[in-house]
Amino acid sequence: MLNKFRLVAFATLALSITFTACKKSDDTSSKGGLTDAQVQVHNDDQNRVGNSENALADDANVALSENASFGGRLDGSSNLQTLICGATTALDTTSNPRKITITYNGLNCAGTETRTGTVVISMAQGMRWKDSGAVATIQVTNLRITRLSDNKSITINGTHTLTNVTGGSLIDLAQRGRPIVHTITSNNMTITFDDNTQRSWSVARKRTFSYNNGIVLSIIGTYSDNTTNGICEWGTTRFGTAFVTAITQPLVFRQDCNGRLVSGQIEHTRLSATATATFGLDASGNPVSCPNGAYYMKIVITRTGQQPVTVLLPY
């Protein structure tokens, strides 16, 4: 049981990617746009925020599924204190909506980040998380996430809506025989970066869970602005410029590959440059199934009138 849910939590770590290896010069820029170094900072910002969104959805799914009052299970409730790392939980099953409060004050499950802050998950009385169309609201208050490798942090505030589109529980995915689809949306997420800049971002992701020798998670973006499809995040960078990030090929994580990101592609635009990252490659840049060592990603930064910058990096 625990391993099924933990798949998603550690799989998201594969997106913690920086683009500093693509750096050409701090003063290389397009007129009115971002320097190459600023593009790389934004790429890292977006990956960190994306990881946090997925981790919040993972914890919410665990909390909703493992409690009988919310999930509709008949065999009682598991101990959420052991399933959600570095956090304590409190249940209110009598109010309407019912609430699960998660208070973070410790390490994530992988031991790579510390989290402090509060998340309140709300769901209406009479609704069960395993029902088709079930909706949960995730209110995030001062959730500060600090990456231990460099002590950099982001602080998140705002509301996410998590929807179980198809219905069903991941607990029963292997026996279910068909995928489970969840969506994550937010239009009021505020990110405070470690340089104290504060920006508003929006989110639109679809997460499809299937079973093939273990859980397979596929993530796409669902927003379109009539110019770009497959957008998963959009808003303003810490430098004050607009951006959109699209998933141009689904991001696929497999439990039978230790929950690793095995394929997919993302693209950052509106930054005076386009940065594209392709995942699931070998050291020569060819697709590979599940290597014993590192996967590689190919990163391409393109500017109008300039030669693209391409690099292969392990992850």
Side-chain angles (χ1 to χ4, degrees):
M1 179 84 64
L2 178 60
N3 288 337
K4 288 184 179 181
F5 285 109
R6 282 305 115 205
L7 160 73
V8 185
F10 69 74
T12 57
L13 297 173
L15 288 178
S16 295
I17 297 160
T18 62
F19 288 72
T20 53
C22 299
K23 184 175 178 179
K24 294 166 61 180
S25 170
D26 285 350
D27 56 9
T28 299
S29 63
S30 296
K31 185 176 181 181
L34 301 185
T35 67
D36 283 0
Q38 289 172 330
V39 171
Q40 295 155 29
V41 169
H42 170 68
N43 286 331
D44 187 40
D45 287 344
Q46 191 279 328
N47 286 323
R48 291 164 66 193
V49 173
N51 291 343
S52 300
E53 294 161 10
N54 283 323
L56 284 172
D58 295 341
D59 286 348
N61 187 59
V62 168
L64 291 166
S65 299
E66 289 290 325
N67 182 269
S69 175
F70 291 84
R73 293 182 62 190
L74 300 178
D75 57 346
S77 301
S78 296
N79 184 1
L80 295 181
Q81 312 296 351
T82 62
L83 291 178
I84 301 176
C85 298
T88 59
T89 59
L91 302 178
D92 176 0
T93 61
T94 60
S95 64
N96 192 11
R98 295 161 292 163
K99 296 179 181 179
I100 303 173
T101 300
I102 304 174
T103 303
Y104 292 99
N105 190 22
L107 288 170
N108 64 354
C109 292
T112 57
E113 297 175 334
T114 60
R115 299 180 290 181
T116 60
T118 303
V119 169
V120 178
I121 306 165
S122 302
M123 193 168 70
Q125 285 283 0
M127 183 179 292
R128 301 179 302 173
W129 178 238
K130 69 178 183 180
D131 292 343
S132 175
V135 177
T137 300
I138 305 173
Q139 179 65 50
V140 185
T141 303
N142 294 330
L143 179 61
R144 183 179 179 89
I145 303 166
T146 302
R147 187 167 57 191
L148 297 182
S149 62
D150 55 13
N151 208 37
K152 291 185 177 180
S153 66
I154 56 174
T155 301
I156 300 175
N157 284 276
T159 305
H160 288 61
T161 300
L162 183 63
T163 303
N164 190 345
V165 177
T166 57
S169 172
L170 295 187
I171 298 169
D172 306 316
L173 184 61
Q175 291 75 37
R176 175 182 169 88
R178 59 189 188 279
I180 294 173
V181 177
H182 295 171
T183 59
I184 309 170
T185 58
S186 177
N187 292 313
N188 67 349
M189 187 169 64
T190 300
I191 312 297
T192 302
F193 297 101
D194 40 25
D195 62 0
N196 291 321
T197 55
Q198 188 177 88
R199 305 298 181 193
S200 294
W201 288 23
S202 297
V203 180
R205 290 183 172 223
K206 182 169 80 170
R207 300 172 7 130
T208 300
F209 301 88
S210 58
Y211 196 89
N212 182 4
N213 198 34
I215 296 176
V216 180
L217 168 62
S218 178
I219 303 175
I220 64 172
T222 60
Y223 180 71
S224 174
D225 63 0
N226 298 320
T227 300
T228 303
N229 297 321
I231 297 172
C232 55
E233 280 95 17
W234 65 100
T236 306
T237 71
R238 68 164 74 195
F239 307 107
T241 59
F243 81 94
V244 298
T245 294
I247 299 175
T248 51
Q249 297 174 17
L251 302 176
V252 178
F253 302 84
R254 295 189 64 98
Q255 187 175 28
D256 61 0
C257 192
N258 296 317
R260 299 164 77 184
L261 173 59
V262 301
S263 63
Q265 186 179 81
I266 60 174
E267 183 175 83
H268 308 283
T269 57
R270 318 279 169 87
L271 303 172
S272 74
T274 297
T276 302
T278 304
F279 304 99
L281 309 177
D282 62 19
S284 299
N286 300 311
V288 62
S289 57
C290 187
N292 292 326
Y295 271 110
Y296 284 75
M297 56 181 171
K298 181 172 70 174
I299 305 164
V300 181
I301 294 183
T302 306
R303 292 183 184 275
T304 302
Q306 298 183 20
Q307 289 295 317
V309 177
T310 303
V311 67
L312 275 168
L313 292 176
Y315 67 91

